[in-house]
Amino acid sequence: MDLQARIRDAIVAELERQAEAADPAPKIDTSEAGYAIIEGRIDLDALIMVVEGALAGGP
C-alpha cells in the first residue's frame, strides 16, 4: 500500500471513529469514492495524530 492510500485510510477511519464516539457526533458520508461529506465538529488534534501515525508507519 502506498503512502497516500495509508493516509487516506487513516483519515477515513478516524472520521468514522469520531462519528461513532463524539457527542454530538459528526455525520460522515464516504459513499462516493474519493470524497467525504462531513457535517459537524471534527477533533483536528486526533485527526492530525492519525495522519502522523500513517506517515510514521504506525497502525
Side-chain angles (χ1 to χ4, degrees):
M1 182 181 292
D2 67 352
L3 181 60
Q4 197 170 39
R6 282 196 322 232
I7 293 170
R8 180 185 314 110
D9 291 348
I11 290 171
V12 170
E14 175 59 20
L15 291 173
E16 289 173 348
R17 185 200 68 78
Q18 287 189 30
E20 294 172 358
D23 185 30
K27 295 177 184 163
I28 310 294
D29 178 1
T30 56
S31 61
E32 186 178 353
Y35 295 92
I37 299 171
I38 304 166
E39 200 175 312
R41 295 177 62 187
I42 300 297
D43 181 346
L44 291 178
D45 289 336
L47 189 59
I48 289 167
M49 285 194 311
V50 299
V51 171
E52 289 175 334
L55 289 171

